[in-house]
C-alpha cells in the first residue's frame, strides 16, 4: 500500500468510527443519508458509491482497487459525505453555495404569519436558494446518468444533493426570520443557545438519548437484514433502528403515509403567488421551457417547492417558532449581540451527554433555578415534549431519507454497473 493510500485508508477509518467528533448539526444529515441508503436498491447504491469512491481517490479509480471492494456490501456509506456541504461552505471556491442551504420569503414572520412566499417573493438573488439549487444539482446528476457529465461533476453534485435534501426538511431553513432562528436566543436545559441550533441538533440529540435501550442491539428478522448492513456503529444507530421499526416498517406510524411522500402534487405556486423576485420557470433547471408553457415550478419527480411548503408551515402551525419569543421584548438586545458575535456555541455530544448525566444523577429538573430566566426555555414538556410525542423530528428525518432514496433511484435506476470511461 502506498503511503498516500494508507493515509487515506486510516483517515476514512477514523471518520467512519468517530462520528461523535462532529457537531450535532452533522448528525441530522447523517441520519437522513443513512435512512436513504437503507432504501436504495442495490444497483443504485452501487452506482452512487462508484461516484463517491471516485472522489476519494480520483487517480486510482480505474485501477483494480475500487473493483476489489465490489464484493463488500454496502460498497460505501452516504453518511460520511452528508455534512460535507457545511464543511466547505466558507472556503473561497464554495462561498457561492452559502445561500443554497436555505430559502427565505420576504414577508415571512412566524409564528404569527407564515409566507411561502408572500407578495414580495423571495429574498436574495433569484435561484440562489436551497430549492432551486436542488433542481440544479439534480440536473447535473441526470446529466451524468445520460453520459453528459463527468464523474467528478456528479461527485460534487451528489454531495450537495444529499445535504440539501436534508436542509429542505428543517423548518427553520425555510424561514428567513432572524436568520432562520440563528438570531433568536433561547435557553435549552438552562444553557444559552438559539432556535436554529435547537432544530439543527438539540432536539435530535435529545431523541437519540431517549431512544429505548431495546434498540441498542441489532434488529432481527427481515427488518434487520434490511437495516443493519447500513449502520456503522454511530451513536445514533439505535435511533435509526427506532425510526425504521416504529416509523417506516410495516405497521409503523409512517408506513401508510410514506409512499405519498414521493408524490409531486399539482403546481404549488401560481404566477401571482411568485412575487417579482423569482423568474417564472420550473425548478428543473436546464430543461429549457418555452415561454408560456410553465405549468409547474416543480418537476414530476422532484418538487422541492411543493414539498417544502408544508414543512415551512410548521413554523406557524406547530409552532416551531415559539410565540413566547414575541413576548417580553427582550429579544432585540440579544439579536444585536448575536449579530456581533456570530455563531453560538455548538454543543458537542460529550457536553450533551455529560449534561444529561448530571441532570439525571443530581438534580430534579423542576427544583433547579433557571440559569437564564430572561430567555425562553425550550427543553420543556410544552415545547420539546410536544415535538417528541408527535414524532415531528423523526417524521422529517424519515421523510427526507425516503425522498432522497426515491430521487436517487429515479435518477440512477437506468445506469449500468459500468462507469463511463471518461472522467
Ligand atoms: C449548479 O451546480 C453546478 C455544479 O454543482 C455549479 O457549478 C453551479 O454554479 C450551480 N449553479 C447554480 C445557479 O446554482
Ligand atoms: C422496543 O420497546 C418498545 C417499547 O418501549 C416497543 O414498542 C418496541 O416495539 C420495541 N422494539 C423492538 C425492536 O423490539
Amino acid at each position: 500500500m502506498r503511503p498516500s493510500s494508507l493515509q487515506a485508508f486510516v483517515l476514512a477509518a477514523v471518520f467512519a468510527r468517530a462520528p461523535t467528533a462532529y457537531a450535532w448539526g452533522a448528525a441530522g444529515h447523517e441520519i437522513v443519508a443513512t435512512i436513504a441508503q437503507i432504501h436504495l436498491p442495490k444497483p443504485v447504491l452501487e452506482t452512487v458509491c462508484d461516484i463517491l469512491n471516485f472522489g476519494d481517490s480520483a487517480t486510482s479509480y480505474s485501477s483494480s482497487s475500487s473493483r476489489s471492494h465490489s464484493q463488500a456490501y454496502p460498497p460505501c456509506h452516504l453518511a460520511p459525505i452528508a455534512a460535507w456541504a457545511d464543511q466547505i461552505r466558507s472556503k473561497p471556491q464554495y462561498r457561492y453555495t452559502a445561500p443554497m442551504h436555505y430559502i427565505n420569503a420576504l414577508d415571512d414572520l412566524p409564528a404569527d404569519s407564515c409566507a411561502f412566499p408572500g407578495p414580495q417573493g423571495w429574498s436574495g438573488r433569484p435561484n440562489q436558494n436551497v430549492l432551486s439549487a436542488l433542481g440544479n444539482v439534480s440536473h447535473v446528476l441526470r446529466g451524468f446518468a445520460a453520459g453528459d457529465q463527468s464523474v467528478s461533476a456528479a461527485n460534487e453534485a451528489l454531495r450537495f444533493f444529499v445535504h440539501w435534501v436534508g436542509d429542505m426538511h428543517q423548518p427553520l431553513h425555510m424561514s428567513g426570520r432572524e436568520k432562520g432562528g440563528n438570531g433568536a436566543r433561547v435557553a435549552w436545559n438552562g444553557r444559552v443557545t438559539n432556535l436554529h441550533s435547537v432544530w439543527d441538533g438539540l432536539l435530535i440529540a435529545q431523541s437519540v438519548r431517549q431512544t429505548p435501550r431495546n434498540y441498542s442491539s441489532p434488529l432481527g428478522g427481515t427488518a434487520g437484514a434490511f437495516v443493519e448492513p447500513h449502520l456503522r456503529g454511530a451513536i445514533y444507530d439505535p435511533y435509526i433502528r427506532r425510526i425504521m421499526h416504529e416509523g417506516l416498517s410495516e405497521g409503523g406510524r409512517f408506513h401508510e403515509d410514506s409512499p405519498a411522500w414521493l408524490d409531486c402534487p399539482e403546481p404549488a405556486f401560481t404566477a401571482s403567488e411568485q412575487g417579482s423576485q423569482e423568474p417564472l420557470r420550473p425548478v428543473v433547471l436546464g430543461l429549457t421551457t418555452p415561454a408560456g408553457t410553465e405549468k409547474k415550478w416543480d418537476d414530476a419527480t422532484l418538487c422541492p417547492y411543493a414539498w417544502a411548503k408544508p414543512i415551512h408551515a410548521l413554523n406557524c402551525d406547530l409552532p416551531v417558532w415559539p410565540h413566547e419569543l414575541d413576548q417580553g421584548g427582550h429579544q432585540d438586545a440579544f439579536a444585536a449581540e448575536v449579530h456581533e458575535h456570530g455563531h453560538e456555541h455548538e454543543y458537542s455530544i460529550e457536553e450533551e451527554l455529560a449534561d444529561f448525566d448530571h441532570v439525571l444523577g443530581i438534580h430534579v429538573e423542576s427544583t433547579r433555578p433557571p440559569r437564564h430566566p430572561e430567555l425562553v426555555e425550550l427543553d420543556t414538556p410544552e415545547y420539546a415534549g410536544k415535538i417528541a410525542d408527535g414524532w415531528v423530528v423523526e417524521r422529517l428525518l424519515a421523510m427526507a431519507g425516503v425522498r432522497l432514496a426515491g430521487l436517487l433511484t429515479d435518477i440512477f435506476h437506468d445506469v449500468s454497473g459500468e462507469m463511463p470511461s471518461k472522467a
Side-chain angles (χ1 to χ4, degrees), residues 313-328:
L314 291 173
N315 284 298
C316 285
D317 294 348
L318 191 63
V320 166
W321 198 286
H323 284 290
E324 292 82 353
L325 289 183
D326 290 325
Q327 292 154 12

Side-chain angles (χ1 to χ4, degrees), residues 2 12 36 46 69 94 157 162 188 224 226 231 237 253 344 381 411:
R2 286 173 293 116
E46 280 166 354
H69 294 304
Y94 286 115
V162 170
W188 180 262
F226 188 54
L231 303 182
D237 284 359
R253 58 177 83 210
E344 290 287 341
I411 294 168

Side-chain angles (χ1 to χ4, degrees), residues 58-398:
T59 51
S60 70
Y61 174 73
S62 56
S63 77
S64 59
S65 67
S66 66
R67 281 296 154 198
S68 70
H69 294 304
S70 63
Q71 301 310 314
Y73 189 79
C76 75
H77 289 280
L78 301 192
I81 55 95
W84 173 84
D86 278 337
Q87 290 151 11
I88 52 83
R89 67 195 274 181
S90 57
K91 292 191 178 180
Q93 71 270 35
Y94 286 115
R95 218 162 269 156
Y96 76 98
T97 65
M100 298 179 185
H101 293 247
Y102 54 83
I103 186 167
N104 305 333
L106 284 169
D107 304 281
D108 194 39
L109 207 67
D112 286 329
S113 70
C114 274
F116 194 80
Q120 301 178 87
W122 307 106
S123 71
R125 289 197 279 150
N127 294 315
Q128 304 294 301
N129 64 66
V130 62
L131 304 181
S132 298
L134 272 170
N136 180 26
V137 291
S138 77
H139 181 66
V140 174
L141 295 176
R142 285 191 197 281
F144 171 77
D148 298 335
Q149 288 277 351
S150 70
V151 186
S152 61
N155 181 293
E156 184 179 280
L158 190 55
R159 288 160 185 259
F160 282 123
F161 195 65
V162 170
H163 188 86
W164 289 336
V165 171
D167 279 344
M168 194 191 96
H169 289 79
Q170 209 273 53
L172 288 164
H173 279 248
M174 305 294 103
S175 173
R177 180 166 183 198
E178 290 173 57
K179 299 184 188 297
N182 274 300
R185 291 234 298 193
V186 297
W188 180 262
N189 192 13
R191 298 211 205 169
V192 181
T193 182
N194 64 70
L195 183 60
H196 192 93
S197 295
V198 167
W199 277 84
D200 261 1
L202 294 170
L203 286 166
I204 295 172
Q206 186 169 68
S207 293
V208 168
R209 283 195 317 254
Q210 293 175 352
T211 302
R213 293 214 180 268
N214 60 341
Y215 292 104
S216 300
S217 42
L219 292 176
T222 340
F226 188 54
V227 172
E228 295 300 328
H230 303 288
L231 303 182
R232 301 172 301 137
I235 196 152
Y236 48 72
D237 284 359
Y239 185 48
I240 292 177
R241 291 187 183 110
R242 188 183 194 195
I243 293 174
M244 292 303 303
H245 183 77
E246 292 181 46
L248 288 164
S249 297
E250 196 161 350
R253 58 177 83 210
F254 308 139
H255 188 250
E256 306 258 295
D257 292 357
S258 55
W261 292 347
L262 288 169
D263 292 349
C264 283
E266 284 303 294
F269 295 92
T270 62
S272 64
E273 264 185 289
Q274 283 176 23
S276 53
Q277 298 263 331
E278 198 76 54
L280 179 64
R281 61 180 171 136
V283 173
V284 52
L285 298 181
L287 249 184
T288 39
T289 318
T293 64
E294 303 92 340
K295 291 203 189 77
K296 297 183 176 186
W297 278 58
D298 293 353
D299 188 45
T301 49
L302 168 64
C303 46
Y305 283 86
W307 287 344
K309 196 176 170 85
I311 295 167
H312 168 262
L314 291 173
N315 284 298
C316 285
D317 294 348
L318 191 63
V320 166
W321 198 286
H323 284 290
E324 292 82 353
L325 289 183
D326 290 325
Q327 292 154 12
H330 53 256
Q331 284 294 319
D332 289 347
F334 290 122
E337 196 185 319
V338 167
H339 187 72
E340 203 173 299
H341 295 288
H343 279 271
E344 290 287 341
H345 171 70
E346 282 195 34
Y347 291 109
S348 69
I349 182 161
E350 288 81 6
E351 282 176 280
E352 265 303 299
L353 293 174
D355 193 50
F356 182 58
D357 291 344
H358 181 66
V359 169
L360 264 191
I362 298 166
H363 294 284
V364 177
E365 186 96 18
S366 57
T367 62
R368 237 164 14 123
R371 277 174 275 179
H372 292 279
E374 77 283 12
L375 294 177
V376 174
E377 169 65 53
L378 293 184
D379 188 9
T380 59
E382 296 73 28
Y383 191 82
K386 180 179 157 190
I387 289 162
D389 291 347
W391 273 56
V392 175
V393 171
E394 291 72 26
R395 186 167 186 274
L396 291 167
L397 294 170

